[in-house]
Amino acid sequence: MSRNVAIVGVGHSKFGVRNDVSLPELAWESIKMALEDSGLEQKDIQYVVVSNVGGWSSEPLPAVVVNEYAGICPTGTVRVEAACASGSAAVKLAYDMVASGHVDIAMAVGVEKMNESPTPTVVEFIGRAGNYFWEFQNFGLTFPGYYALYMTAYMHKYGATEEDFCKVAVKNHYYGARNPKAQFQKEITIEKCMASRYIAWPIKLFDSSPITDGSAAVILASEEVAKQLTDSPVWIRAIGYASDTSNLSKRDTFTSLRAGVIAGEKAYKMAGIDKDKVLNIIDVAEVHDCFTIAEVMAYEDLGFAKRGEGIEMIRNEETYIGGKIPVNLSGGLKAKGHPIAATGEGMIAELTNQLLNRVEKDRQAPIKNGYALAHNIGGTGHYAYVTILSLSKP
Amino acid sequence: MGEEKKTLKDMYDSQMKQFFEFVESMKKSLGVPMFPDMKSGRAQYLDQREITLKFIISIENIKDFFNALAEGKLLATKCENCNEIYFPPQRDCPKCKASGLGWIELSREGELVTFTQINVKPYSFSHYDDYIVGIVRLPEGVNVTAWIREKDPTKLKPGMKMRLEIVKREPEDYYTYEWVPVS
């Protein structure tokens, strides 16, 4: 028997080049915000899941470093890794701790300091995140390179152009410009995107999310505790998950991320949502736009658009506020930034604030049904987590 | 002049050299490896320890693959129980839990599924010119990832025929495999 779990507090640091803080200082920014948001103290937290991919940063045991700094000790903690979906994996683990009745209050905190290493080292580390021995060792793929394999295939199959994909970047920068937490707070034009240099053909610099430092924290509580803490809990209705092969050569298709499809379907089933009617239910979504192609595939994988029609959604501006479903009103990974293992908690924190009408007015989605969806992919479809939040209790 | 062509690696290395020299000079004057970030001016500390990562990976159970590669052949493993073919080769068949799978030689021609050109290269690949990586589907039903011998990505299209060649990778001087467009 599983218990209902609510989000009772969230925190979100400014994303960007955060060389003004160390890794534990950066984590503390979000933890402090989440504690204050929930009205809880450190002693109330019964388990802490820390997501951090690291390698590029100096602390090999970030969970204990963060907890010591935050005064959450000897509570119990663990560090999780699911590549760029680590944050959602951390929320899933914290959710399970509460849902199972092991604890009443748990926290997921994601922190990443990618700028502790020079850019070429970071490019190397992320490039190795696939199958190191068979696909990196000899062929030197990079993270943009892996997604470029998908973009080439998508363009060929559906006749999408590089200019089409730039429209995703333009949208996400438009909203990033309205989010004070975003790494890039400037609007861009199609022309600027098209003029940017190739980093992994056909992916250009402006198709790509940046190297980011950042943190985000989410505090989860059982229904009983949540009722005492807040009049406006946001409920976790479902967390769907799936994974895929490490070797991209073993994938059957390069126009869709299978793990994303399965994670979405699991989440819809758990939340009792019909995939065909998802546009009538979800008010706002954050999807994993590490590259512009990833956002377009997400539209299709999640059932926002039919196969091959994801590109139409962005051409027709259907994912802006006022369109069929507003997507990435935070600026997304593209403009808000992508601190690898903090991105998942960042999405959940953003959507909690969206549902509670707490974000900046010009990027606030109209909340009608009280449902939000976070789609968080790790690696190149290696991991996938889809989380559905709602204002109504399960 | 006989000037050698500058690679991305030369650029990376010279940037790092300049950076380290700057921090060394700051360290000399301040007594600690403390320096202001060039863009933001925020105080940073340069790690005084360094490690090199070079892994030692067991290929005991797939060494035939590498021996065959040196003889100009590309092998995969095949499960005699369920006929599943594995590339990259693996000793164990997770489908029927058989172990010690036998070897087959793969076809040399296939169809290009997708590709990219790596322009911003990882540090350990930064001494190469921009390279094209492709995934090719073989008649056996397995895909093989490798570099494609072509400099211009606009000359390639999914569906094109590709032929596999075993080649020496330079300057490292070891055998690997590469796709060549069949014109």
Side-chain angles (χ1 to χ4, degrees), chain A residues 142-166:
Chain A
T142 59
F143 193 39
Y146 292 116
Y147 271 95
L149 294 171
Y150 282 82
M151 187 156 151
T152 300
Y154 190 98
M155 287 166 71
H156 180 73
K157 186 167 180 186
Y158 298 120
T161 64
E162 291 180 40
E163 204 166 324
D164 290 331
F165 287 102
C166 276

Side-chain angles (χ1 to χ4, degrees), chain A residues 17 19-20 120 124 134-140 142 145 148-149 152-153 156 197-201 249-251 254, chain B residues 12 37 40 42 44 87-89 114-117 119-120 122-125 131 133 135 143 145 147 153 158 169 174:
Chain A
V17 178
N19 56 19
D20 55 325
E124 175 103 21
W134 290 101
E135 295 194 333
F136 185 89
Q137 169 82 207
N138 294 313
F139 311 121
T142 59
L149 294 171
T152 300
H156 180 73
R197 68 196 157 93
Y198 287 113
I199 55 172
W201 186 97
S249 64
K250 294 201 170 187
R251 305 285 174 85
F254 290 90
Chain B
Y12 284 158
D37 175 70
S40 63
R42 293 156 176 167
Q44 314 291 315
F87 188 87
T114 190
F115 61 96
T116 177
Q117 181 181 46
N119 314 107
V120 175
Y123 182 76
S124 67
F125 280 77
Y131 44 87
V133 188
I135 296 179
N143 295 340
T145 304
W147 282 8
R169 175 68 61 81
Y174 71 101

Side-chain angles (χ1 to χ4, degrees), chain A residues 241-370:
Chain A
Y241 46 86
S243 53
D244 210 337
T245 61
S246 69
N247 279 290
L248 289 218
S249 64
K250 294 201 170 187
R251 305 285 174 85
D252 289 331
T253 171
F254 290 90
T255 51
S256 160
L257 298 176
R258 180 175 66 168
V261 174
I262 297 170
E265 282 167 359
K266 277 187 188 170
Y268 291 145
K269 196 175 171 207
M270 274 185 251
I273 294 172
D274 183 347
K275 190 176 178 178
D276 295 332
K277 298 190 180 116
V278 62
L279 294 177
N280 301 331
I281 295 165
I282 306 288
D283 290 327
V284 58
E286 287 281 302
V287 308
H288 201 88
D289 61 324
C290 48
F291 301 96
T292 52
I293 172 67
E295 177 160 328
V296 172
M297 288 194 294
Y299 296 164
E300 299 177 15
D301 291 348
L302 292 167
F304 299 173
K306 293 199 183 88
R307 288 280 157 225
E309 292 177 9
I311 204 72
E312 288 295 329
M313 277 199 107
I314 192 66
R315 280 182 193 145
N316 300 333
E317 305 194 342
E318 285 163 353
T319 48
Y320 281 83
I321 293 172
K324 282 182 180 162
I325 182 168
V327 174
N328 288 336
L329 304 185
S330 66
L333 283 60
K334 176 69 199 78
K336 186 176 81 168
H338 183 25
I340 304 292
T343 285
E345 290 96 341
M347 287 177 167
I348 305 290
E350 159 72 12
L351 291 174
T352 299
N353 289 329
Q354 283 281 353
L355 286 173
L356 297 175
N357 274 301
R358 299 201 296 199
V359 310
E360 292 71 24
K361 288 282 166 278
D362 46 0
R363 60 176 202 90
Q364 172 67 55
I367 303 302
K368 293 173 270 185
N369 305 306

Side-chain angles (χ1 to χ4, degrees), chain A residues 11-310:
Chain A
H12 194 302
S13 82
K14 163 85 172 68
F15 284 4
V17 178
R18 294 298 312 272
N19 56 19
D20 55 325
V21 283
S22 68
L23 182 135
E25 289 167 347
L26 183 57
W28 172 241
E29 288 182 12
S30 296
I31 294 171
K32 187 178 173 210
M33 255 182 262
L35 287 171
E36 287 172 354
D37 188 31
S38 63
L40 292 165
E41 294 296 329
Q42 285 94 327
K43 63 173 172 39
D44 302 320
I45 308 292
Q46 296 166 321
Y47 196 67
V48 182
V49 186
V50 177
S51 52
N52 172 265
V53 167
W56 37 66
S57 53
S58 55
E59 290 294 349
L61 304 184
V64 289
V65 173
V66 164
N67 281 292
E68 177 198 310
Y69 193 87
I72 312 176
C73 192
T75 304
T77 188
V78 68
R79 174 254 199 109
V80 299
E81 177 279 308
C84 322
S86 300
S88 290
V91 171
K92 167 83 175 105
L93 188 46
Y95 170 87
D96 289 344
M97 288 292 280
V98 177
S100 63
H102 281 293
V103 302
D104 291 320
I105 302 170
M107 180 167 68
V109 53
V111 60
E112 207 72 74
K113 273 220 76 181
M114 302 180 75
N115 284 295
E116 278 194 7
S117 286
T119 299
T121 310
V122 178
V123 172
E124 175 103 21
F125 266 113
I126 316 180
R128 290 176 176 216
N131 190 285
Y132 175 72
F133 190 59
W134 290 101
E135 295 194 333
F136 185 89
Q137 169 82 207
N138 294 313
F139 311 121
L141 275 155
T142 59
F143 193 39
Y146 292 116
Y147 271 95
L149 294 171
Y150 282 82
M151 187 156 151
T152 300
Y154 190 98
M155 287 166 71
H156 180 73
K157 186 167 180 186
Y158 298 120
T161 64
E162 291 180 40
E163 204 166 324
D164 290 331
F165 287 102
C166 276
K167 289 173 182 156
V168 175
V170 169
K171 172 180 71 72
N172 294 351
H173 275 260
Y174 174 85
Y175 288 117
R178 285 150 180 80
N179 182 358
K181 299 272 172 70
Q183 179 159 2
F184 298 130
Q185 298 178 26
K186 269 190 192 149
E187 291 184 29
I188 61 159
T189 59
I190 298 279
E191 294 70 37
K192 180 158 185 174
C193 175
M194 285 299 287
S196 65
R197 68 196 157 93
Y198 287 113
I199 55 172
W201 186 97
I203 287 183
K204 293 174 289 302
L205 186 66
F206 275 81
D207 286 302
S208 174
S209 56
I211 291 170
T212 307
D213 307 322
S215 74
V218 178
I219 300 177
L220 305 180
S222 64
E223 184 172 343
E224 249 176 52
V225 172
K227 271 185 189 160
Q228 294 163 20
L229 288 171
T230 174
D231 297 331
S232 54
V234 169
W235 301 93
I236 295 187
R237 297 298 294 266
I239 306 179
Y241 46 86
S243 53
D244 210 337
T245 61
S246 69
N247 279 290
L248 289 218
S249 64
K250 294 201 170 187
R251 305 285 174 85
D252 289 331
T253 171
F254 290 90
T255 51
S256 160
L257 298 176
R258 180 175 66 168
V261 174
I262 297 170
E265 282 167 359
K266 277 187 188 170
Y268 291 145
K269 196 175 171 207
M270 274 185 251
I273 294 172
D274 183 347
K275 190 176 178 178
D276 295 332
K277 298 190 180 116
V278 62
L279 294 177
N280 301 331
I281 295 165
I282 306 288
D283 290 327
V284 58
E286 287 281 302
V287 308
H288 201 88
D289 61 324
C290 48
F291 301 96
T292 52
I293 172 67
E295 177 160 328
V296 172
M297 288 194 294
Y299 296 164
E300 299 177 15
D301 291 348
L302 292 167
F304 299 173
K306 293 199 183 88
R307 288 280 157 225
E309 292 177 9

Side-chain angles (χ1 to χ4, degrees), chain B residues 48-60:
Chain B
Q48 296 295 289
R49 308 292 154 207
E50 195 172 339
I51 56 169
T52 304
L53 291 175
K54 209 167 179 67
F55 300 107
I56 299 160
I57 301 154
S58 176
I59 52 160
E60 172 63 18

Side-chain angles (χ1 to χ4, degrees), chain A residues 134-135 139 141 149 247-251 254, chain B residues 65 74-76 85-89 106-114 133-148 162 164-166 176-179:
Chain A
W134 290 101
E135 295 194 333
F139 311 121
L141 275 155
L149 294 171
N247 279 290
L248 289 218
S249 64
K250 294 201 170 187
R251 305 285 174 85
F254 290 90
Chain B
F65 174 85
L74 188 76
L75 302 188
I85 297 171
Y86 290 98
F87 188 87
L106 288 172
S107 317
R108 291 299 186 92
E109 279 202 15
E111 211 171 79
L112 182 59
V113 177
T114 190
V133 188
I135 296 179
V136 172
R137 189 153 186 86
L138 296 179
E140 289 89 342
V142 294
N143 295 340
V144 176
T145 304
W147 282 8
I148 297 176
M162 293 278 150
L164 188 122
E165 281 187 22
I166 309 295
T176 183
Y177 41 97
E178 187 169 275
W179 290 109

